[in-house]
Amino acid sequence: EAQVTQNPRYLITVTGKKLTVTCSQNMNHEYMSWYRQDPGLGLRQIYYSMNVEVTDKGDVPEGYKVSRKEKRNFPLILESPSPNQTSLYFCASSYGVSSYEQYFGPGTRLTVT
Amino acid sequence: GNSVTQMEGPVTLSEEAFLTINCTYTATGYPSLFWYVQYPGEGLQLLLKATKADDKGSNKGFEATYRKETTSFHLEKGSVQVSDSAVYFCALLTGGFKTIFGAGTRLFVKA
């Protein structure tokens, strides 16, 4: 089954404790992206990747890091989480710029206390 | 800069009512436009898309027409069902891979 998976689905952590949210897709997609969803703000893009070892900032990259060492994986790293990073996070992937549909993972709900 | 504005929700309708969710955008160039739907506890799914002016996207009874003159992409459905209850997001794709989403509109359909 074609899908985007994220882990963990739920995470409660404390300020300053480094964490990683994993994202994996099995569709051989070139493009991957991370979003955060906050009430009243819709989805805002954090980082995206156009291919292995190629990443770029979205609209809200501060406090986040990403890496793309393999085509299928695109982890989101919070080196020192803060309460304002409490949010619902989605990973998405797409075949490429010429194929616009994005496939979304199920989401990771993160709470930073 | 580029932006998407959607009507605020929630929108509450009775089953079989007509649905319109307004979406307007600001963008340079010629963006592609999308509607995504999010069911409770799930990620977003593409509902329909339009890649150039005057294109009409349609899927599952939903329709939206890319109107460049009014910079709009309103979502419509002639007869909603309880199963259509979800959050609907309008989005645009600019050059490269930057997708901009609206704030989302929650739809409740009552039986």
Side-chain angles (χ1 to χ4, degrees):
Chain A
E1 180 190 355
Q3 60 182 350
V4 178
T5 57
Q6 295 179 227
N7 282 292
R9 294 289 312 277
Y10 303 90
L11 179 60
I12 300 174
T13 189
V14 296
T15 300
K17 185 177 182 182
K18 180 179 179 179
L19 66 92
T20 299
V21 183
T22 64
C23 173
S24 183
Q25 50 92 5
N26 63 0
M27 295 169 279
N28 202 35
H29 285 170
E30 289 189 352
Y31 289 80
M32 298 185 74
S33 186
W34 276 103
Y35 298 88
R36 59 178 289 173
Q37 182 179 14
D38 301 291
L41 297 176
L43 274 76
R44 293 178 292 168
Q45 194 169 41
I46 302 171
Y47 270 95
Y48 61 96
S49 169
M50 292 163 283
N51 213 326
V52 175
E53 303 291 3
V54 182
T55 63
D56 206 351
K57 297 177 181 178
D59 295 318
V60 287
E62 295 77 20
Y64 304 95
K65 287 175 57 177
V66 293
S67 68
R68 186 92 181 272
K69 293 183 168 50
E70 304 166 284
K71 197 171 186 178
R72 63 184 293 126
N73 296 323
F74 191 45
L76 179 70
I77 303 156
L78 285 72
E79 295 269 3
S80 182
S82 62
N84 65 12
Q85 292 178 298
T86 292
S87 187
L88 180 58
Y89 291 86
F90 288 100
C91 180
S93 71
S94 168
Y95 283 110
V97 174
S98 62
S99 177
Y100 306 104
E101 175 178 358
Q102 291 188 73
Y103 294 80
F104 283 80
T108 295
R109 185 166 292 282
L110 172 65
T111 302
V112 183
T113 61
Chain B
N2 300 318
S3 66
V4 175
T5 303
Q6 288 181 237
M7 62 187 290
E8 286 191 29
V11 174
T12 302
L13 296 173
S14 297
E15 208 165 23
E16 300 184 3
F18 185 86
L19 169 71
T20 299
I21 300 178
N22 291 336
C23 171
T24 57
Y25 68 91
T26 302
T28 54
Y30 303 94
S32 295
L33 301 173
F34 308 83
W35 278 100
Y36 283 84
V37 58
Q38 184 180 31
Y39 298 103
E42 298 183 8
L44 281 69
Q45 306 170 26
L46 180 69
L47 182 58
L48 53 85
K49 68 183 182 186
T51 58
K52 61 183 187 298
D54 299 325
D55 268 2
K56 177 186 282 188
S58 61
N59 186 26
K60 300 180 182 179
F62 291 89
E63 293 183 340
T65 301
Y66 189 162
R67 302 282 188 204
K68 191 166 177 62
E69 64 276 12
T70 54
T71 61
S72 65
F73 193 55
H74 305 322
L75 182 68
E76 297 181 336
K77 187 176 185 184
S79 176
V80 293
Q81 306 300 312
V82 172
S83 57
D84 294 326
S85 297
V87 181
Y88 293 82
F89 291 92
C90 185
L92 67 84
L93 175 65
T94 63
F97 192 54
K98 289 181 69 71
T99 301
I100 297 170
F101 288 84
T105 302
R106 185 176 295 277
L107 170 66
F108 291 105
V109 180
K110 303 180 297 184

